[in-house]
Amino acid sequence: MLSDSKVKLDNQDRTNKTVAVLGCGVIGRSWAKLFLTHGYTVKIWDPAPNLHDQLSIYFGDDLFQRMILSDSPEKAVSGAFFVQESGPENPLKKHALYQGIASTLDENCIVASSTSTIQPSVLQRDIAFADRVLVGHPFNPPHLLPLVEVIGGELTSLETVNKALAFYRSLNKTAIHLKTERPGHLANRLQAAVWREAVDAVATGQATVEDVDLAMKASLGPRWAVMGPFETFHLGGGEGGLEHFFDHLGGAFEALWDDAKRPNVTEKLKQEICQALIHSDTSINNNERIEAIYQKLSKVVQMTS
Ligand SMILES: NC(=O)c1ccc[n+]([C@@H]2O[C@H](COP(=O)([O-])OP(=O)(O)OC[C@H]3O[C@@H](n4cnc5c(N)ncnc54)[C@H](O)[C@@H]3O)[C@@H](O)[C@H]2O)c1
């Protein structure tokens, strides 16, 4: 078996340019945009009644005309070499979907789930093509943010993992292989640690919601766009690098680690935080604002990649 870096898409994959997207909500449509802009034929299935209108607005004329809306998941996956499933976060629904497509799925087709919380070993249980099921977890929006976390389950073949990594990398994604299944995968666990402290700062009255967001945007945000946490502290260690950092400040940071059973997210606390954001202009319905945010994100990604 080839190592991650050596594997390439095989001949069939290079000639077959059809990708299926099952579930075309927030994440599915962004994946579809990415696949379309890389020249793939994209077949979509989503049971939402007003899908046609929603997607024509989201994609605009040019891209919309190039995609194929299928009237069943079985038809959508037929002829595809890769399926990106982005349906509701419910293992029973995803499972039923996988069982339904088994009869029309091409022999070598890979099925990647965007799931943020479900383990691949759960998804592939009792599925005929279990060795070709894995998680390909993006960050929202997948057409802009580079990371894809690739995670195989107990029954996923290494070949499937390597082909998925190669496919995502061919789309200029930063695809990393997580070697174990853990709740929240990796990046969301990092995010959860920050989210805990953000909510706790408000809960304990240390800072306002606005100031927590400002603190992040004015410090860790830009720094982390350029360097990861290890690189950051390697730089912070001066001449001695990370080793000096461990000796000098490592203990102080460890003293901040605790059992993490805080804060207690009460209804009152939730309301306090939500009220502080009620006038925020980042509502998903504010198309102009979302577009402006996407443009900024896009610039940051370009600058840092
Ligand atoms: N929203 C995020 O930030 C985010 C980030 C990364 C990964 N994910 C993952 O992506 C997946 C989709 O999340 P989302 O935020 O796009 O949800 P969403 O609610 O925006 O979209 C889900 C879509 O699935 C459709 N759907 C309903 N029943 C279905 C079925 N049986 N089969 C297929 N599709 C069906 C719905 O009509 C809807 O359009 C989830 O697994 C989630 O964990 C979400």
Side-chain angles (χ1 to χ4, degrees):
M1 198 138 317
L2 293 170
S3 71
D4 283 5
S5 57
K6 291 207 181 114
V7 95
K8 292 276 183 282
L9 296 175
D10 63 24
N11 283 335
Q12 185 192 356
D13 293 346
R14 263 182 268 143
T15 50
N16 181 344
K17 296 278 281 179
T18 302
V19 179
V21 171
L22 302 180
C24 207
V26 172
I27 295 301
R29 64 188 62 181
S30 175
W31 273 122
K33 187 177 262 189
L34 178 81
F35 300 141
L36 284 165
T37 50
H38 278 81
Y40 285 91
T41 299
V42 178
K43 293 173 79 182
I44 284 177
W45 178 75
D46 188 301
N50 51 351
L51 189 70
H52 188 279
D53 294 346
Q54 278 183 26
L55 296 186
S56 66
I57 294 169
Y58 176 83
F59 285 102
D61 284 348
D62 285 355
L63 287 184
F64 185 65
Q65 275 166 17
R66 284 185 35 217
M67 55 200 250
I68 300 167
L69 290 185
S70 300
D71 57 14
S72 74
E74 293 83 357
K75 283 188 197 161
V77 303
S78 165
F81 81 95
F82 197 92
V83 175
Q84 186 73 42
E85 173 273 308
S86 304
E89 191 70 346
N90 175 329
L92 295 178
K93 285 192 178 169
K94 289 189 192 285
H95 218 247
L97 187 63
Y98 293 7
Q99 274 172 337
I101 59 174
S103 58
T104 53
L105 201 65
D106 276 17
E107 206 182 343
N108 295 316
C109 183
I110 290 173
V111 177
S113 175
S114 300
T115 180
S116 305
T117 62
I118 307 168
Q119 306 301 325
S121 293
V122 171
L123 292 174
Q124 67 193 175
R125 206 170 284 153
D126 299 326
I127 297 295
F129 50 92
D131 60 318
R132 286 178 279 128
V133 172
L134 43 59
V135 168
H137 176 248
F139 254 57
N140 185 34
H143 71 279
L144 291 182
L145 286 181
L147 183 66
V148 187
E149 297 170 322
V150 172
I151 310 137
E154 287 157 14
L155 303 174
T156 311
S157 71
L158 185 56
E159 188 186 1
T160 297
V161 168
N162 285 336
K163 280 169 120 180
L165 287 167
F167 173 55
Y168 289 130
R169 286 172 186 160
S170 75
L171 304 168
N172 296 329
K173 308 304 285 178
T174 302
I176 58 172
H177 179 203
L178 302 183
K179 316 291 189 296
T180 59
E181 300 177 72
R182 296 180 83 194
H185 315 316
L186 170 62
N188 267 335
R189 292 179 72 93
L190 298 173
Q191 186 161 239
V194 171
W195 174 238
R196 179 189 72 219
E197 294 306 323
V199 176
D200 200 43
V202 177
T204 57
Q206 183 192 23
T208 62
V209 167
E210 190 187 1
D211 282 349
V212 171
D213 276 350
L214 278 176
M216 175 58 79
K217 287 188 279 190
S219 63
L220 300 177
R223 198 157 72 179
W224 282 345
V226 180
M227 295 174 292
F230 293 116
E231 290 168 325
T232 295
F233 287 156
H234 190 42
L235 185 71
E239 272 182 31
L242 193 57
E243 202 163 334
H244 174 66
F245 180 86
F246 267 120
D247 295 340
H248 181 210
L249 289 168
F253 270 89
E254 281 176 50
L256 298 175
W257 294 349
D258 54 27
D259 289 342
K261 294 291 180 207
R262 64 187 165 80
N264 178 14
V265 184
T266 59
E267 197 50 41
K268 185 167 171 288
L269 176 60
K270 271 202 284 190
Q271 286 309 318
E272 183 187 338
I273 293 172
C274 294
Q275 286 300 318
L277 279 173
I278 210 157
H279 299 299
S280 158
D281 48 9
T282 56
S283 153
I284 194 75
N285 296 322
N286 185 340
N287 285 339
E288 227 170 85
R289 179 68 183 146
I290 295 293
E291 199 41 51
I293 288 175
Y294 280 7
Q295 276 179 18
K296 270 192 197 167
L297 265 181
S298 187
K299 275 189 199 152
V300 171
V301 170
Q302 272 168 23
M303 271 163 48
T304 53
S305 55

Short mmCIF file of all heavy atoms in Angstrom, two decimals, residues 178-241:
data_model
loop_
_atom_site.label_atom_id
_atom_site.label_comp_id
_atom_site.label_asym_id
_atom_site.label_seq_id
_atom_site.Cartn_x
_atom_site.Cartn_y
_atom_site.Cartn_z
N LEU A 178 -6.50 11.83 10.49
CA LEU A 178 -6.54 11.60 11.94
C LEU A 178 -6.54 10.10 12.17
O LEU A 178 -7.36 9.38 11.61
CB LEU A 178 -7.78 12.26 12.56
CG LEU A 178 -7.90 13.77 12.33
CD1 LEU A 178 -9.14 14.33 13.04
CD2 LEU A 178 -6.66 14.50 12.79
N LYS A 179 -5.61 9.67 13.00
CA LYS A 179 -5.38 8.22 13.11
C LYS A 179 -6.33 7.54 14.10
O LYS A 179 -6.39 6.32 14.15
CB LYS A 179 -3.93 7.95 13.54
CG LYS A 179 -2.85 8.77 12.82
CD LYS A 179 -2.70 8.40 11.36
CE LYS A 179 -1.48 9.05 10.70
NZ LYS A 179 -1.49 10.52 10.61
N THR A 180 -7.01 8.31 14.92
CA THR A 180 -7.96 7.68 15.85
C THR A 180 -9.30 8.42 15.79
O THR A 180 -9.36 9.59 15.40
CB THR A 180 -7.46 7.75 17.32
OG1 THR A 180 -7.27 9.11 17.68
CG2 THR A 180 -6.16 6.99 17.50
N GLU A 181 -10.34 7.71 16.18
CA GLU A 181 -11.69 8.30 16.22
C GLU A 181 -11.89 8.91 17.61
O GLU A 181 -11.82 8.21 18.61
CB GLU A 181 -12.75 7.23 15.97
CG GLU A 181 -12.61 6.55 14.63
CD GLU A 181 -13.64 5.43 14.45
OE1 GLU A 181 -14.83 5.72 14.27
OE2 GLU A 181 -13.24 4.25 14.48
N ARG A 182 -12.13 10.22 17.64
CA ARG A 182 -12.38 10.88 18.93
C ARG A 182 -13.57 11.82 18.76
O ARG A 182 -13.69 12.46 17.70
CB ARG A 182 -11.18 11.71 19.37
CG ARG A 182 -9.93 10.92 19.65
CD ARG A 182 -8.80 11.83 20.08
NE ARG A 182 -8.85 12.15 21.50
CZ ARG A 182 -8.14 13.12 22.07
NH1 ARG A 182 -7.35 13.89 21.35
NH2 ARG A 182 -8.22 13.35 23.36
N PRO A 183 -14.42 11.94 19.77
CA PRO A 183 -15.55 12.85 19.65
C PRO A 183 -15.08 14.26 19.27
O PRO A 183 -14.17 14.79 19.90
CB PRO A 183 -16.18 12.85 21.05
CG PRO A 183 -15.73 11.55 21.65
CD PRO A 183 -14.38 11.25 21.06
N GLY A 184 -15.69 14.83 18.25
CA GLY A 184 -15.32 16.19 17.82
C GLY A 184 -14.12 16.22 16.89
O GLY A 184 -13.66 17.30 16.51
N HIS A 185 -13.57 15.06 16.54
CA HIS A 185 -12.37 14.97 15.69
C HIS A 185 -11.23 15.79 16.32
O HIS A 185 -11.03 15.67 17.53
CB HIS A 185 -12.68 15.41 14.26
CG HIS A 185 -13.97 14.83 13.70
ND1 HIS A 185 -14.33 13.51 13.87
CD2 HIS A 185 -14.99 15.39 13.00
CE1 HIS A 185 -15.50 13.28 13.29
NE2 HIS A 185 -15.92 14.40 12.75
N LEU A 186 -10.55 16.65 15.56
CA LEU A 186 -9.43 17.40 16.15
C LEU A 186 -9.74 18.91 16.27
O LEU A 186 -9.74 19.47 17.36
CB LEU A 186 -8.15 17.21 15.32
CG LEU A 186 -6.98 18.13 15.69
CD1 LEU A 186 -6.53 17.91 17.12
CD2 LEU A 186 -5.81 17.93 14.74
N ALA A 187 -9.99 19.55 15.13
CA ALA A 187 -10.08 21.02 15.16
C ALA A 187 -11.25 21.49 16.03
O ALA A 187 -11.16 22.52 16.70
CB ALA A 187 -10.19 21.57 13.75
N ASN A 188 -12.33 20.73 16.04
CA ASN A 188 -13.45 21.13 16.90
C ASN A 188 -13.14 20.94 18.38
O ASN A 188 -13.70 21.62 19.23
CB ASN A 188 -14.73 20.38 16.53
CG ASN A 188 -15.56 21.19 15.53
OD1 ASN A 188 -15.44 22.42 15.47
ND2 ASN A 188 -16.37 20.51 14.75
N ARG A 189 -12.23 20.02 18.68
CA ARG A 189 -11.82 19.88 20.09
C ARG A 189 -10.98 21.10 20.49
O ARG A 189 -11.09 21.61 21.61
CB ARG A 189 -11.02 18.59 20.29
CG ARG A 189 -11.84 17.33 20.13
CD ARG A 189 -10.99 16.10 20.32
NE ARG A 189 -10.61 15.90 21.69
CZ ARG A 189 -11.29 15.15 22.57
NH1 ARG A 189 -12.38 14.52 22.18
NH2 ARG A 189 -10.89 15.01 23.81
N LEU A 190 -10.14 21.57 19.55
CA LEU A 190 -9.36 22.79 19.84
C LEU A 190 -10.34 23.96 20.05
O LEU A 190 -10.21 24.76 20.98
CB LEU A 190 -8.42 23.11 18.67
CG LEU A 190 -7.34 22.07 18.34
CD1 LEU A 190 -6.61 22.45 17.06
CD2 LEU A 190 -6.34 21.94 19.49
N GLN A 191 -11.33 23.99 19.14
CA GLN A 191 -12.31 25.08 19.20
C GLN A 191 -13.12 25.02 20.50
O GLN A 191 -13.45 26.05 21.08
CB GLN A 191 -13.24 24.97 17.98
CG GLN A 191 -14.20 26.10 17.85
CD GLN A 191 -14.77 26.20 16.45
OE1 GLN A 191 -14.59 27.23 15.82
NE2 GLN A 191 -15.44 25.19 15.96
N ALA A 192 -13.43 23.79 20.93
CA ALA A 192 -14.24 23.63 22.15
C ALA A 192 -13.51 24.19 23.36
O ALA A 192 -14.13 24.75 24.28
CB ALA A 192 -14.57 22.15 22.36
N ALA A 193 -12.18 24.02 23.37
CA ALA A 193 -11.40 24.54 24.51
C ALA A 193 -11.49 26.07 24.56
O ALA A 193 -11.67 26.67 25.63
CB ALA A 193 -9.95 24.08 24.40
N VAL A 194 -11.40 26.70 23.40
CA VAL A 194 -11.49 28.17 23.34
C VAL A 194 -12.92 28.62 23.67
O VAL A 194 -13.13 29.59 24.41
CB VAL A 194 -11.08 28.67 21.94
CG1 VAL A 194 -11.37 30.15 21.78
CG2 VAL A 194 -9.60 28.41 21.70
N TRP A 195 -13.90 27.90 23.11
CA TRP A 195 -15.31 28.24 23.35
C TRP A 195 -15.63 28.16 24.84
O TRP A 195 -16.30 29.03 25.39
CB TRP A 195 -16.18 27.27 22.54
CG TRP A 195 -17.66 27.36 22.73
CD1 TRP A 195 -18.49 26.35 23.12
CD2 TRP A 195 -18.52 28.49 22.48
NE1 TRP A 195 -19.79 26.78 23.15
CE2 TRP A 195 -19.84 28.09 22.76
CE3 TRP A 195 -18.30 29.80 22.07
CZ2 TRP A 195 -20.93 28.94 22.64
CZ3 TRP A 195 -19.39 30.66 21.95
CH2 TRP A 195 -20.68 30.23 22.23
N ARG A 196 -15.10 27.14 25.52
CA ARG A 196 -15.33 27.01 26.97
C ARG A 196 -14.84 28.26 27.70
O ARG A 196 -15.53 28.85 28.51
CB ARG A 196 -14.57 25.78 27.49
CG ARG A 196 -14.74 25.59 29.00
CD ARG A 196 -13.80 24.51 29.51
NE ARG A 196 -12.42 24.96 29.51
CZ ARG A 196 -11.37 24.22 29.18
NH1 ARG A 196 -11.54 22.98 28.77
NH2 ARG A 196 -10.16 24.72 29.21
N GLU A 197 -13.63 28.71 27.35
CA GLU A 197 -13.08 29.88 28.04
C GLU A 197 -13.83 31.15 27.67
O GLU A 197 -13.96 32.06 28.49
CB GLU A 197 -11.59 30.01 27.74
CG GLU A 197 -10.75 28.87 28.30
CD GLU A 197 -10.94 28.65 29.81
OE1 GLU A 197 -11.10 29.63 30.56
OE2 GLU A 197 -10.95 27.48 30.22
N ALA A 198 -14.31 31.24 26.41
CA ALA A 198 -15.06 32.43 25.98
C ALA A 198 -16.35 32.53 26.79
O ALA A 198 -16.68 33.60 27.34
CB ALA A 198 -15.37 32.34 24.48
N VAL A 199 -17.07 31.42 26.89
CA VAL A 199 -18.33 31.43 27.64
C VAL A 199 -18.06 31.65 29.12
O VAL A 199 -18.77 32.40 29.80
CB VAL A 199 -19.11 30.11 27.39
CG1 VAL A 199 -20.38 30.06 28.24
CG2 VAL A 199 -19.47 29.97 25.91
N ASP A 200 -17.00 31.05 29.62
CA ASP A 200 -16.67 31.20 31.04
C ASP A 200 -16.31 32.65 31.39
O ASP A 200 -16.63 33.13 32.48
CB ASP A 200 -15.50 30.26 31.40
CG ASP A 200 -15.42 29.99 32.89
OD1 ASP A 200 -16.50 29.76 33.50
OD2 ASP A 200 -14.32 30.02 33.45
N ALA A 201 -15.65 33.33 30.47
CA ALA A 201 -15.28 34.74 30.72
C ALA A 201 -16.54 35.57 30.93
O ALA A 201 -16.58 36.46 31.79
CB ALA A 201 -14.46 35.29 29.55
N VAL A 202 -17.59 35.28 30.16
CA VAL A 202 -18.85 36.02 30.31
C VAL A 202 -19.56 35.56 31.58
O VAL A 202 -20.06 36.37 32.36
CB VAL A 202 -19.76 35.81 29.07
CG1 VAL A 202 -21.09 36.52 29.25
CG2 VAL A 202 -19.06 36.31 27.80
N ALA A 203 -19.54 34.23 31.81
CA ALA A 203 -20.25 33.67 32.98
C ALA A 203 -19.70 34.23 34.29
O ALA A 203 -20.44 34.48 35.24
CB ALA A 203 -20.13 32.15 32.98
N THR A 204 -18.38 34.43 34.34
CA THR A 204 -17.77 34.91 35.59
C THR A 204 -17.72 36.43 35.65
O THR A 204 -17.19 37.00 36.61
CB THR A 204 -16.33 34.36 35.72
OG1 THR A 204 -15.60 34.77 34.55
CG2 THR A 204 -16.31 32.86 35.84
N GLY A 205 -18.22 37.10 34.62
CA GLY A 205 -18.24 38.56 34.62
C GLY A 205 -16.89 39.17 34.29
O GLY A 205 -16.67 40.36 34.44
N GLN A 206 -15.98 38.35 33.77
CA GLN A 206 -14.64 38.88 33.46
C GLN A 206 -14.66 39.85 32.28
O GLN A 206 -13.96 40.85 32.24
CB GLN A 206 -13.68 37.73 33.15
CG GLN A 206 -12.25 38.17 32.90
CD GLN A 206 -11.39 37.05 32.31
OE1 GLN A 206 -11.92 36.11 31.71
NE2 GLN A 206 -10.09 37.17 32.49
N ALA A 207 -15.47 39.51 31.26
CA ALA A 207 -15.49 40.33 30.04
C ALA A 207 -16.87 40.24 29.38
O ALA A 207 -17.61 39.28 29.58
CB ALA A 207 -14.42 39.84 29.07
N THR A 208 -17.16 41.25 28.56
CA THR A 208 -18.43 41.22 27.81
C THR A 208 -18.25 40.31 26.59
O THR A 208 -17.12 40.01 26.18
CB THR A 208 -18.81 42.62 27.30
OG1 THR A 208 -17.76 43.05 26.40
CG2 THR A 208 -18.96 43.62 28.44
N VAL A 209 -19.39 39.94 26.00
CA VAL A 209 -19.35 39.13 24.78
C VAL A 209 -18.53 39.86 23.71
O VAL A 209 -17.67 39.28 23.04
CB VAL A 209 -20.80 38.87 24.27
CG1 VAL A 209 -20.81 38.32 22.86
CG2 VAL A 209 -21.52 37.94 25.24
N GLU A 210 -18.79 41.17 23.59
CA GLU A 210 -18.09 41.95 22.57
C GLU A 210 -16.58 41.94 22.81
O GLU A 210 -15.78 41.77 21.87
CB GLU A 210 -18.62 43.39 22.60
CG GLU A 210 -18.15 44.22 21.43
CD GLU A 210 -18.56 45.68 21.56
OE1 GLU A 210 -19.19 46.05 22.57
OE2 GLU A 210 -18.21 46.43 20.63
N ASP A 211 -16.18 42.10 24.08
CA ASP A 211 -14.74 42.14 24.37
C ASP A 211 -14.06 40.78 24.17
O ASP A 211 -12.89 40.73 23.78
CB ASP A 211 -14.49 42.65 25.80
CG ASP A 211 -14.64 44.17 25.87
OD1 ASP A 211 -14.72 44.80 24.79
OD2 ASP A 211 -14.68 44.73 26.99
N VAL A 212 -14.79 39.69 24.44
CA VAL A 212 -14.21 38.37 24.17
C VAL A 212 -13.94 38.24 22.67
O VAL A 212 -12.85 37.83 22.25
CB VAL A 212 -15.15 37.24 24.65
CG1 VAL A 212 -14.62 35.88 24.18
CG2 VAL A 212 -15.28 37.26 26.17
N ASP A 213 -14.93 38.62 21.86
CA ASP A 213 -14.73 38.54 20.40
C ASP A 213 -13.57 39.45 19.95
O ASP A 213 -12.75 39.07 19.12
CB ASP A 213 -16.02 38.90 19.65
CG ASP A 213 -16.96 37.71 19.52
OD1 ASP A 213 -16.55 36.58 19.84
OD2 ASP A 213 -18.12 37.90 19.11
N LEU A 214 -13.53 40.66 20.55
CA LEU A 214 -12.44 41.58 20.19
C LEU A 214 -11.08 41.01 20.57
O LEU A 214 -10.11 41.09 19.80
CB LEU A 214 -12.63 42.92 20.90
CG LEU A 214 -13.60 43.91 20.25
CD1 LEU A 214 -13.74 45.15 21.13
CD2 LEU A 214 -13.12 44.30 18.85
N ALA A 215 -11.00 40.42 21.78
CA ALA A 215 -9.71 39.87 22.25
C ALA A 215 -9.21 38.81 21.27
O ALA A 215 -8.03 38.77 20.91
CB ALA A 215 -9.87 39.28 23.65
N MET A 216 -10.12 37.96 20.82
CA MET A 216 -9.71 36.91 19.89
C MET A 216 -9.26 37.50 18.55
O MET A 216 -8.21 37.14 18.02
CB MET A 216 -10.89 35.95 19.69
CG MET A 216 -10.65 34.87 18.67
SD MET A 216 -9.21 33.83 19.03
CE MET A 216 -9.87 32.73 20.26
N LYS A 217 -10.07 38.45 18.02
CA LYS A 217 -9.74 39.00 16.70
C LYS A 217 -8.46 39.81 16.71
O LYS A 217 -7.79 39.95 15.69
CB LYS A 217 -10.91 39.87 16.20
CG LYS A 217 -12.11 39.03 15.78
CD LYS A 217 -13.19 39.84 15.10
CE LYS A 217 -14.06 40.55 16.09
NZ LYS A 217 -15.25 41.17 15.49
N ALA A 218 -8.11 40.38 17.91
CA ALA A 218 -6.93 41.24 17.98
C ALA A 218 -5.67 40.51 18.45
O ALA A 218 -4.63 41.13 18.63
CB ALA A 218 -7.23 42.42 18.92
N SER A 219 -5.78 39.21 18.69
CA SER A 219 -4.59 38.53 19.20
C SER A 219 -4.42 37.13 18.60
O SER A 219 -3.70 36.92 17.63
CB SER A 219 -4.64 38.44 20.73
OG SER A 219 -5.75 37.66 21.15
N LEU A 220 -5.16 36.18 19.19
CA LEU A 220 -4.96 34.79 18.77
C LEU A 220 -5.38 34.54 17.34
O LEU A 220 -4.75 33.77 16.61
CB LEU A 220 -5.75 33.86 19.71
CG LEU A 220 -5.36 33.94 21.18
CD1 LEU A 220 -6.26 33.04 22.01
CD2 LEU A 220 -3.91 33.54 21.35
N GLY A 221 -6.49 35.21 16.92
CA GLY A 221 -7.01 34.98 15.57
C GLY A 221 -5.95 35.18 14.50
O GLY A 221 -5.58 34.24 13.78
N PRO A 222 -5.41 36.44 14.39
CA PRO A 222 -4.40 36.65 13.35
C PRO A 222 -3.15 35.79 13.56
O PRO A 222 -2.56 35.31 12.59
CB PRO A 222 -4.05 38.14 13.48
CG PRO A 222 -4.85 38.69 14.59
CD PRO A 222 -5.84 37.66 15.04
N ARG A 223 -2.75 35.59 14.80
CA ARG A 223 -1.54 34.80 15.03
C ARG A 223 -1.76 33.35 14.60
O ARG A 223 -0.92 32.75 13.93
CB ARG A 223 -1.16 34.87 16.51
CG ARG A 223 0.26 34.46 16.75
CD ARG A 223 0.83 35.02 18.02
NE ARG A 223 0.26 34.37 19.18
CZ ARG A 223 0.62 34.67 20.44
NH1 ARG A 223 1.48 35.63 20.67
NH2 ARG A 223 0.08 34.05 21.44
N TRP A 224 -2.90 32.81 14.95
CA TRP A 224 -3.16 31.42 14.59
C TRP A 224 -3.42 31.23 13.09
O TRP A 224 -3.39 30.12 12.59
CB TRP A 224 -4.35 30.89 15.39
CG TRP A 224 -3.99 30.52 16.80
CD1 TRP A 224 -2.73 30.35 17.29
CD2 TRP A 224 -4.89 30.29 17.89
NE1 TRP A 224 -2.78 30.01 18.63
CE2 TRP A 224 -4.10 29.97 19.02
CE3 TRP A 224 -6.27 30.33 18.02
CZ2 TRP A 224 -4.66 29.68 20.25
CZ3 TRP A 224 -6.82 30.03 19.26
CH2 TRP A 224 -6.03 29.72 20.36
N ALA A 225 -3.73 32.34 12.38
CA ALA A 225 -3.88 32.20 10.93
C ALA A 225 -2.52 31.99 10.28
O ALA A 225 -2.42 31.51 9.17
CB ALA A 225 -4.55 33.45 10.34
N VAL A 226 -1.47 32.38 11.00
CA VAL A 226 -0.12 32.29 10.43
C VAL A 226 0.67 31.11 11.03
O VAL A 226 1.43 30.44 10.33
CB VAL A 226 0.64 33.62 10.68
CG1 VAL A 226 2.04 33.57 10.12
CG2 VAL A 226 -0.13 34.78 10.07
N MET A 227 0.48 30.89 12.34
CA MET A 227 1.23 29.81 13.02
C MET A 227 0.27 28.99 13.87
O MET A 227 -0.63 29.55 14.49
CB MET A 227 2.28 30.40 13.97
CG MET A 227 3.37 31.18 13.32
SD MET A 227 4.41 31.96 14.59
CE MET A 227 3.29 33.18 15.27
N GLY A 228 0.51 27.70 13.94
CA GLY A 228 -0.28 26.85 14.84
C GLY A 228 0.16 27.05 16.28
O GLY A 228 1.12 27.77 16.55
N PRO A 229 -0.51 26.40 17.24
CA PRO A 229 -0.15 26.60 18.66
C PRO A 229 1.28 26.20 18.99
O PRO A 229 1.94 26.85 19.81
CB PRO A 229 -1.16 25.73 19.42
CG PRO A 229 -1.85 24.89 18.41
CD PRO A 229 -1.68 25.53 17.08
N PHE A 230 1.78 25.15 18.36
CA PHE A 230 3.16 24.72 18.66
C PHE A 230 4.16 25.71 18.07
O PHE A 230 5.12 26.11 18.74
CB PHE A 230 3.42 23.31 18.11
CG PHE A 230 2.60 22.26 18.82
CD1 PHE A 230 1.65 21.52 18.14
CD2 PHE A 230 2.78 22.01 20.18
CE1 PHE A 230 0.89 20.56 18.80
CE2 PHE A 230 2.02 21.05 20.85
CZ PHE A 230 1.07 20.33 20.16
N GLU A 231 3.91 26.10 16.83
CA GLU A 231 4.83 27.08 16.20
C GLU A 231 4.82 28.40 16.97
O GLU A 231 5.85 29.06 17.13
CB GLU A 231 4.41 27.35 14.75
CG GLU A 231 4.63 26.18 13.81
CD GLU A 231 3.94 26.38 12.47
OE1 GLU A 231 2.85 26.96 12.42
OE2 GLU A 231 4.50 25.94 11.46
N THR A 232 3.62 28.78 17.44
CA THR A 232 3.49 30.04 18.18
C THR A 232 4.39 30.04 19.41
O THR A 232 5.14 30.99 19.67
CB THR A 232 2.02 30.23 18.63
OG1 THR A 232 1.21 30.37 17.48
CG2 THR A 232 1.86 31.44 19.52
N PHE A 233 4.35 28.95 20.17
CA PHE A 233 5.15 28.92 21.40
C PHE A 233 6.62 28.60 21.12
O PHE A 233 7.49 28.91 21.94
CB PHE A 233 4.54 27.94 22.40
CG PHE A 233 3.27 28.47 23.04
CD1 PHE A 233 2.31 27.60 23.57
CD2 PHE A 233 3.03 29.83 23.12
CE1 PHE A 233 1.15 28.10 24.16
CE2 PHE A 233 1.87 30.34 23.70
CZ PHE A 233 0.93 29.47 24.23
N HIS A 234 6.89 28.03 19.97
CA HIS A 234 8.29 27.85 19.56
C HIS A 234 8.90 29.23 19.35
O HIS A 234 10.02 29.51 19.79
CB HIS A 234 8.34 27.02 18.28
CG HIS A 234 9.71 26.58 17.89
ND1 HIS A 234 10.64 26.10 18.80
CD2 HIS A 234 10.33 26.54 16.68
CE1 HIS A 234 11.76 25.80 18.16
NE2 HIS A 234 11.61 26.07 16.88
N LEU A 235 8.13 30.11 18.73
CA LEU A 235 8.57 31.49 18.53
C LEU A 235 8.64 32.21 19.89
O LEU A 235 9.59 32.95 20.17
CB LEU A 235 7.60 32.22 17.60
CG LEU A 235 7.95 33.64 17.17
CD1 LEU A 235 9.12 33.62 16.19
CD2 LEU A 235 6.75 34.31 16.50
N GLY A 236 7.62 31.94 20.71
CA GLY A 236 7.55 32.60 22.04
C GLY A 236 8.69 32.19 22.95
O GLY A 236 8.99 32.89 23.93
N GLY A 237 9.34 31.07 22.65
CA GLY A 237 10.45 30.60 23.49
C GLY A 237 11.76 31.30 23.19
O GLY A 237 12.79 30.98 23.81
N GLY A 238 11.74 32.24 22.25
CA GLY A 238 12.97 32.98 21.93
C GLY A 238 14.05 32.06 21.40
O GLY A 238 13.76 31.09 20.70
N GLU A 239 15.29 32.33 21.81
CA GLU A 239 16.42 31.55 21.27
C GLU A 239 16.32 30.07 21.60
O GLU A 239 16.71 29.21 20.84
CB GLU A 239 17.74 32.08 21.83
CG GLU A 239 18.31 33.19 20.99
CD GLU A 239 19.65 33.67 21.54
OE1 GLU A 239 20.38 32.86 22.13
OE2 GLU A 239 19.92 34.86 21.38
N GLY A 240 15.75 29.78 22.77
CA GLY A 240 15.63 28.38 23.21
C GLY A 240 14.43 27.67 22.61
O GLY A 240 14.22 26.48 22.86
N GLY A 241 13.61 28.40 21.87
CA GLY A 241 12.47 27.79 21.20
C GLY A 241 11.49 27.10 22.15
O GLY A 241 11.37 27.46 23.33
#
